[in-house]
Amino acid sequence: MQAEETARQYRSIWLSDIHLGTRGCQADFLLDFLRHNESEYLYLVGDIVDGWRLRKSWYWPQSHNDVVQKILRRARKGAKVFLIPGNHDEAFREFIGLQFGGVAIQEDTVHVTADGRRLLVIHGDQFDAVVRYAKWLAHVGDTAYVLLLGINTGFNWVRRKLGFPYWSISAYLKHRTKKAVEFIGDFEKALADEARRRQVDGVICGHIHHAEMRDMDGVLYCNDGDWVESCTALVEHENGKLEIINWAEAIRARAAMKVAA
């Protein structure tokens, strides 16, 4: 975690599950992250734009447009930017192999770290049985999730007024519900197995909004989290070291330093 005011340079950054087009998207947090962190490689690992939600009702404030412009500006300045579509922005899968504004759209890809590890980069919805075999149920679940995020937004508005930091009700409930914990475990195992099948050293994914980095029987499993509940990203340092950054915590640390000064 870091709290510097100047931009930090990384070799690679992975972001996923931003869900632009929804009220739950923490676009202001993400813009702050992008202002403070730059990289040679930028991977957008699915669900960047929430097409499911936009088809139901249009919501696109200026901050969401600013995120898109910020990413396109990165590509224009020479960063290698890749978009790996997810289930919420599955419409992009019609353009696999093409480039738009310097952003390359790929089904998945293999990233080679500075220390030589080969990592599969994939959104991960392909390994979610509900999304694959009962898409109608996934849409029902998405509607319930949006309602919970609406409650979460109001809850955090009150917390800010009282001087308390951001806290996610949905993340808290997810990590304490047995079925959700079992689903996360099954998902992680499926992705690790896919990495073994493709004979790579590890996998980087998103989809389940749960940032994690750990060894799974010799395969490195990394999930970069999301920008709805946790505001996390995965970064690669110049020496190949990987790290999960919680930007909500970084903002709190920066504010505390300013108060102390």
Side-chain angles (χ1 to χ4, degrees):
M1 184 178 69
Q2 87 240 26
E4 293 92 345
E5 287 293 331
T6 55
R8 180 75 177 269
Q9 182 68 41
Y10 292 102
R11 185 169 183 267
S12 310
I13 294 175
W14 290 265
L15 303 168
S16 75
D17 298 272
I18 297 171
H19 290 275
L20 294 170
T22 69
R23 297 181 186 279
C25 171
Q26 303 293 331
D28 290 337
F29 278 35
L30 179 56
L31 285 168
D32 187 76
F33 174 84
L34 292 171
R35 281 192 291 268
H36 287 82
N37 301 276
E38 297 182 353
S39 62
E40 178 183 353
Y41 297 91
L42 174 60
Y43 292 91
L44 306 170
V45 195
D47 289 0
I48 305 306
V49 176
D50 197 321
W52 289 11
R53 185 54 38 190
L54 288 173
R55 282 196 294 268
K56 294 178 180 178
S57 62
W58 185 259
Y59 178 76
W60 196 268
Q62 183 60 45
S63 60
H64 293 205
N65 197 54
D66 291 343
V67 168
V68 174
Q69 292 301 320
K70 193 84 170 174
I71 291 169
L72 291 175
R73 194 174 301 121
R74 289 278 172 98
R76 288 198 301 271
K77 290 172 66 177
K80 301 175 182 67
V81 183
F82 302 90
L83 172 63
I84 313 294
N87 51 304
H88 283 261
D89 52 13
E90 59 193 351
F92 288 131
R93 287 178 172 149
E94 297 181 14
F95 306 102
I96 296 296
L98 300 180
Q99 281 198 11
F100 293 94
V103 178
I105 303 177
Q106 299 184 356
E107 182 70 26
D108 54 55
T109 190
V110 173
H111 173 80
V112 181
T113 63
D115 55 4
R117 289 174 293 173
R118 299 176 67 245
L119 305 175
L120 171 66
V121 183
I122 187 169
H123 180 64
D125 61 294
Q126 302 92 328
F127 301 90
D128 182 338
V130 173
V131 172
R132 288 191 67 183
Y133 303 115
K135 196 170 183 179
W136 66 271
L137 185 58
H139 280 275
V140 170
D142 178 66
T143 299
Y145 181 61
V146 169
L147 290 174
L148 181 58
L149 288 178
I151 296 171
N152 192 70
T153 299
F155 175 74
N156 275 287
W157 181 84
V158 174
R159 283 179 64 86
R160 284 195 300 272
K161 292 296 183 180
L162 296 175
F164 293 105
Y166 177 82
W167 185 72
S168 174
I169 299 174
S170 53
Y172 175 84
L173 293 175
K174 180 189 297 182
H175 300 158
R176 283 156 180 79
T177 302
K178 183 179 179 181
K179 287 295 183 183
V181 172
E182 290 176 354
F183 169 79
I184 290 172
D186 291 344
F187 178 84
E188 292 173 345
K189 182 180 183 302
L191 267 294
D193 288 345
E194 179 67 9
R196 290 190 190 92
R197 189 184 72 81
R198 299 204 193 188
Q199 299 182 326
V200 294
D201 299 299
V203 60
I204 297 172
C205 61
H207 186 57
I208 60 172
H209 295 205
H210 180 62
E212 182 73 68
M213 183 169 62
R214 62 191 178 93
D215 180 270
M216 297 185 67
D217 297 324
V219 171
L220 179 63
Y221 170 86
C222 301
N223 192 305
D224 57 26
D226 69 282
W227 290 84
V228 175
E229 300 174 42
S230 58
C231 298
T232 54
L234 179 71
V235 300
E236 177 194 4
H237 294 264
E238 294 296 340
N239 62 0
K241 176 187 175 183
L242 299 175
E243 177 187 4
I244 291 175
I245 294 179
N246 184 316
W247 200 246
E249 289 184 1
I251 289 175
R252 287 197 290 270
R254 192 194 318 153
M257 289 177 63
K258 287 182 178 180
V259 172

